[in-house]
Amino acid sequence: MATFFGETVTLSSRAVDEEDEEEGEDENEEDREIKRELEKKREVHLQWNADFSRQFETSSDKTLQISELIIAVGYNASGFLSAFALSSGNWETAGNISLWNEKSRFSRETSLEHPGEPSCIFYRKDENPEVLGSIEKRSLKVTILSDCPVANYRSPEYISAIPVPFLKALKTRTYNENLCCSSLEQPNVVSGIPAAVLSYCQVHQIPAVLYQCYTDVVKLDSVTVETYKSTLSCSSLRKLIKHFWSLVEPDDYKNLHQAALKMSALFGSTYLCDSAISDMNVMKSKFRTRLTDEHLNDSIRVNLSGYTPPYTSLVDSMQCQSSD
Amino acid sequence: MFVPVGNASPTFKDSILIMPAVSVGNVGQLAVDLLISSLNMPCVGYIHTDCLIPMVGNDPYATSEESSSELCTNAEVYFLPEKKLAVLQIRSPTVKSKTRQFRHLILSWIKSNRFSQSILLSSSHAYQCDDRQLSGSPLRYLQTLEMKNIIGDKLQKLDLNELETTPAFPGIRETEQQLWIPGGGITKRFFTECSSEHIPLAVLLIFCSEGDNIPEAFTLMNFLNQWLHLVETTGEVESHNWKIPCSWKLLFGSGIPPAIF
């Protein structure tokens, strides 16, 4: 195309890249070798730690049984999960993914996490074996949290008039639960890792939901992280948060917060205390004058423990009358 | 690879396949959108591959509240068994290093399903037209030998010109003539591969520039309709009953700030 000044420039297109035309066929062996090296370098490596590798090996079909998979993509989404999920309960790292492409500043050999570099770590919770990292497809449910700049959002209203940040949801056909926010309207689309995971789940009929937070701040920001709080009502995340009300700011829902904390501190009856005191009264009778405090403590401890001595085997091991 | 929706895999044998090439102005994709939307074609499967950039969204052809929360992926197959018409819609570009793999994937899928005819809708940069192409209709066609055996010269009878070849070295008179489709994406290589694999393929392309390419999509579909009679036409002036899908709104950005008025 000719411009005003008489120079010719190649027009760029939103759909195709002119370089696509010159692909492949004129390569020689050296080019192919270089391409192969580059592809090997760009491979994604998945490393499980020792416990998990053992579990994989010992399972019958080399898979892990998991029911929930939660993925966070982006600074704010992963910040939200770290603050609200990973900080309550015991989580251990299960594995990580390492990758390299031309944009990485560090080579693959350094296995430390560098701030600002893309990294991916799998965590697993001790009490419920719900792993963030799964192979088994049956009875699996996937939840994805992702950040997105609000500039990518299309709406008939002017964007600045919409209160930011806000959540929009997309779900696969097999996902039956209620959404925690409104569905993403046409013609908006999602791309990248959340799209790849959701496509996989849709094609393989796995129930999955994506909560995308449109925000005007790209880096970690407390207001954006708080927007994700409404996803805590979805069943996957609700299970992970045991002490939910202790994580909510007291000023947010003041009365409800106080009532919830009082309820969680209540217990049903004083039966256990009363029965322990009765047992102590039996032990500390007026005839036991030589009972010390320490002896009493130890006796109560043995009494309150659920341990019953194996009388039969103890008795059997004793000889009643030994012949000398 | 093709993954059907639900458990039953549909049989495409002897159906016509229409697919777009991701090309300048996205004309092929817009035209296919029009076709799927107007005929209310149901989705019967996904082309699940890592050769395309991943993308998801809600149903782009939704007409009601319930259907507007159906997820759609980047490459889906729609099928109308009563019209023996299958349509593949590709919504995202190919990953740069995987175009060859993608072409082979589509080619082997077409072969294994034994479509009777395949039609590729595409476009090419208008600024690269030579003098012969500047005047007259901007539509051109290409067909493989097998396609010619099936439909004969139907396309020529509909006043369509075959795409002219260009000299390999412009300016020098006695160089070999070759096919050149600038901005056509996978069109040229796909066509040559289909020719060598003996697949009946026709390519319908339109010269255009980038911008609002909806009129070009209509032009392409009106011609396709003339050929295949997919949608009824009404009246003398041949106004077609095309239905615009709901995903075509806001093509040029969000709402306008009221403060500028």
Side-chain angles (χ1 to χ4, degrees), chain A residues 14 21 23 25 184 186, chain B residues 26 56 58-59 99 189 210:
Chain A
R14 67 178 180 242
E21 305 251 336
E23 173 234 313
E25 268 69 27
L184 186 64
Q186 290 84 344
Chain B
N26 305 107
V56 290
N58 272 326
D59 186 8
T99 47
R189 289 189 202 268
E210 293 239 320

Side-chain angles (χ1 to χ4, degrees), chain B residues 92-161:
Chain B
S92 62
T94 40
V95 174
K96 264 201 183 156
S97 52
K98 299 203 171 175
T99 47
R100 190 188 305 177
Q101 198 181 337
F102 180 66
R103 289 196 310 266
H104 290 175
L105 171 73
I106 299 294
L107 215 127
S108 51
W109 181 67
I110 292 177
K111 256 181 153 171
S112 60
N113 281 292
R114 292 185 283 172
F115 290 100
S116 63
Q117 301 172 40
S118 305
I119 301 167
L120 182 68
L121 300 178
S122 176
S123 55
S124 179
H125 277 304
Y127 79 95
Q128 298 272 20
C129 284
D130 61 18
D131 299 336
R132 303 165 290 176
Q133 295 163 335
L134 277 177
S135 53
S137 160
L139 288 167
R140 295 287 187 276
Y141 77 90
L142 282 171
Q143 57 185 358
T144 58
L145 212 58
E146 287 70 27
M147 191 65 163
K148 196 165 179 186
N149 293 338
I150 296 173
I151 62 170
D153 45 0
K154 196 164 183 184
L155 292 172
Q156 271 166 329
K157 291 213 178 102
L158 289 169
D159 283 334
L160 195 64
N161 297 326

Side-chain angles (χ1 to χ4, degrees), chain A residues 157-183:
Chain A
E157 298 163 18
Y158 181 48
I159 289 291
S160 298
I162 306 175
V164 169
F166 56 89
L167 274 183
K168 290 288 175 187
L170 278 178
K171 64 179 178 72
T172 59
R173 186 176 292 133
T174 39
Y175 187 82
N176 291 324
E177 289 178 31
N178 291 331
L179 295 174
C180 311
C181 61
S182 55
S183 188

Side-chain angles (χ1 to χ4, degrees), chain A residues 47-116:
Chain A
Q47 282 152 330
W48 296 106
N49 66 14
D51 284 336
F52 283 85
S53 311
R54 238 176 290 126
Q55 278 191 32
F56 273 120
E57 296 306 312
T58 52
S59 81
S60 56
D61 49 356
K62 301 275 184 262
T63 60
L64 263 190
Q65 291 287 342
I66 300 115
S67 55
E68 305 269 356
L69 171 63
I70 302 174
I71 303 177
V73 182
Y75 291 115
N76 291 295
S78 33
F80 169 75
L81 266 195
S82 307
F84 284 78
L86 297 180
S87 60
S88 77
N90 297 324
W91 293 84
E92 48 164 320
T93 51
N96 65 27
I97 287 180
S98 65
L99 57 86
W100 177 90
N101 64 25
E102 287 82 353
K103 283 194 182 158
S104 308
R105 283 172 288 164
F106 300 99
S107 71
R108 189 199 286 281
E109 282 79 42
T110 57
S111 55
L112 309 164
E113 271 172 55
H114 301 280

Side-chain angles (χ1 to χ4, degrees), chain A residues 1 13-18 21 23-25 153-156 158 170 173 183-184 186-187 189-190 199 202, chain B residues 5 22-23 25-26 46 55-56 58-59 70-71 96 99-100 125 127 181 189 210-211 213 247 249 254-255:
Chain A
M1 186 188 87
S13 154
R14 67 178 180 242
V16 283
D17 202 344
E18 282 308 323
E21 305 251 336
E23 173 234 313
E25 268 69 27
Y153 184 69
R154 298 273 172 269
S155 149
Y158 181 48
L170 278 178
R173 186 176 292 133
S183 188
L184 186 64
Q186 290 84 344
V189 292
V190 171
S199 303
Q202 173 79 344
Chain B
V5 169
V22 179
S23 54
N26 305 107
Y46 310 98
M55 168 239 110
V56 290
N58 272 326
D59 186 8
E70 277 278 318
L71 198 71
K96 264 201 183 156
T99 47
R100 190 188 305 177
H125 277 304
Y127 79 95
I181 308 177
R189 289 189 202 268
E210 293 239 320
N213 296 104
S247 56
K249 46 182 196 203
S254 296

Side-chain angles (χ1 to χ4, degrees), chain B residues 53-68:
Chain B
I53 292 177
M55 168 239 110
V56 290
N58 272 326
D59 186 8
Y61 314 112
T63 44
S64 64
E65 270 305 311
E66 305 90 52
S67 59
S68 70

Side-chain angles (χ1 to χ4, degrees), chain A residues 309-324:
Chain A
Y311 295 114
T312 327
S313 48
L314 279 172
V315 162
D316 286 344
S317 66
M318 290 184 197
Q319 257 189 325
C320 311
Q321 281 178 326
S322 53
S323 57
D324 284 316

